[in-house]
Amino acid sequence: MKILILAGSPRKNGNSYKLIEAFKEGAAKHDITVVPVGNMKINGCLACEYCHTQGKGKCIQDDDMQQIHPLLAEAEMVVLASPVDYWGLSGQLQSCLTRWYAPHKPAKATKYAVLLASGSEGVYEGIEAQMKACLPYCGGEIVGIIKTSMEKNNLQEACAEAKKLGASL
């Protein structure tokens, strides 16, 4: 299975990446691509409708999202990994998600997972609601939402859960 992991953190040694590494270890038999969205230049959707009129599914903006669209088109599973920035996905990952509008949704993805890291516990509800609405709309099932927080000090437990999720695929 082709798995695309969109890494929303700009910190390569942060807890989001620790969850990614654990997931990758479990899913090692699959074809995995990690895209460091947190370090890329991705603008939000302009709502200009170019993609649905003249663009035939291609966005008018020329930024790093052009590297991601072909990967999204081929992915059979998409994993969104993010630090929780003020009760939401990182700004970079949120911009990436809004840009899925151009092709409408990942063409082949039937599975989604979400890996979240925060300093606090009670900050996940909004993201979970967004993911539970958005990802099934994109035509797939959510196979896991894994959360860790410094407050709860459960990074090892969450990494074990991420590894188990990867191995279950």
Side-chain angles (χ1 to χ4, degrees), residues 4 7 21 37 39-40 45 54 69 72 80 89 93 101 106 113 135 142 148 156 168-169:
L4 175 62
E21 290 307 313
V37 172
N39 298 103
M40 298 173 82
C45 177
Q54 303 102 301
H69 278 306
L72 276 172
L80 302 173
L89 297 172
L93 187 55
Y101 181 66
L135 299 178
I142 299 172
T148 185
Q156 281 187 314
S168 72
L169 302 171

Side-chain angles (χ1 to χ4, degrees), residues 63-116:
D63 60 8
D64 290 340
M65 192 64 195
Q66 302 311 321
Q67 300 168 37
I68 299 172
H69 278 306
L71 300 171
L72 276 172
E74 294 301 316
E76 296 166 285
M77 178 177 188
V78 178
V79 178
L80 302 173
S82 182
V84 178
D85 292 345
Y86 211 67
W87 292 277
L89 297 172
S90 71
Q92 299 93 324
L93 187 55
Q94 185 61 48
S95 289
C96 176
L97 186 61
T98 65
R99 297 282 294 285
W100 291 13
Y101 181 66
H104 181 60
K105 61 183 180 180
K108 298 178 181 177
T110 58
K111 296 179 184 206
Y112 295 91
V114 184
L115 309 175
L116 301 170

Side-chain angles (χ1 to χ4, degrees), residues 13-160:
N13 295 318
N15 290 343
S16 298
Y17 272 96
K18 289 179 175 125
L19 291 172
I20 289 169
E21 290 307 313
F23 177 86
K24 282 175 50 183
E25 188 178 334
K29 68 181 180 183
H30 298 284
D31 179 6
I32 301 170
T33 301
V34 179
V35 178
V37 172
N39 298 103
M40 298 173 82
K41 174 69 173 144
I42 300 174
N43 301 315
C45 177
L46 298 173
C48 67
E49 291 298 327
Y50 174 86
C51 60
H52 292 259
T53 55
Q54 303 102 301
K56 298 180 179 149
K58 183 174 174 10
C59 182
I60 195 167
Q61 297 187 71
D62 187 18
D63 60 8
D64 290 340
M65 192 64 195
Q66 302 311 321
Q67 300 168 37
I68 299 172
H69 278 306
L71 300 171
L72 276 172
E74 294 301 316
E76 296 166 285
M77 178 177 188
V78 178
V79 178
L80 302 173
S82 182
V84 178
D85 292 345
Y86 211 67
W87 292 277
L89 297 172
S90 71
Q92 299 93 324
L93 187 55
Q94 185 61 48
S95 289
C96 176
L97 186 61
T98 65
R99 297 282 294 285
W100 291 13
Y101 181 66
H104 181 60
K105 61 183 180 180
K108 298 178 181 177
T110 58
K111 296 179 184 206
Y112 295 91
V114 184
L115 309 175
L116 301 170
S118 176
S120 304
E121 262 306 289
V123 296
Y124 303 109
E125 195 173 289
I127 297 172
E128 288 186 84
Q130 178 189 17
M131 296 298 102
K132 288 177 180 176
C134 173
L135 299 178
Y137 171 80
C138 289
E141 70 171 310
I142 299 172
V143 296
I145 297 177
I146 297 172
K147 305 170 282 194
T148 185
S149 75
M150 290 169 51
E151 185 176 274
K152 194 173 178 184
N153 195 24
N154 70 334
L155 180 60
Q156 281 187 314
E157 178 185 312
C159 284

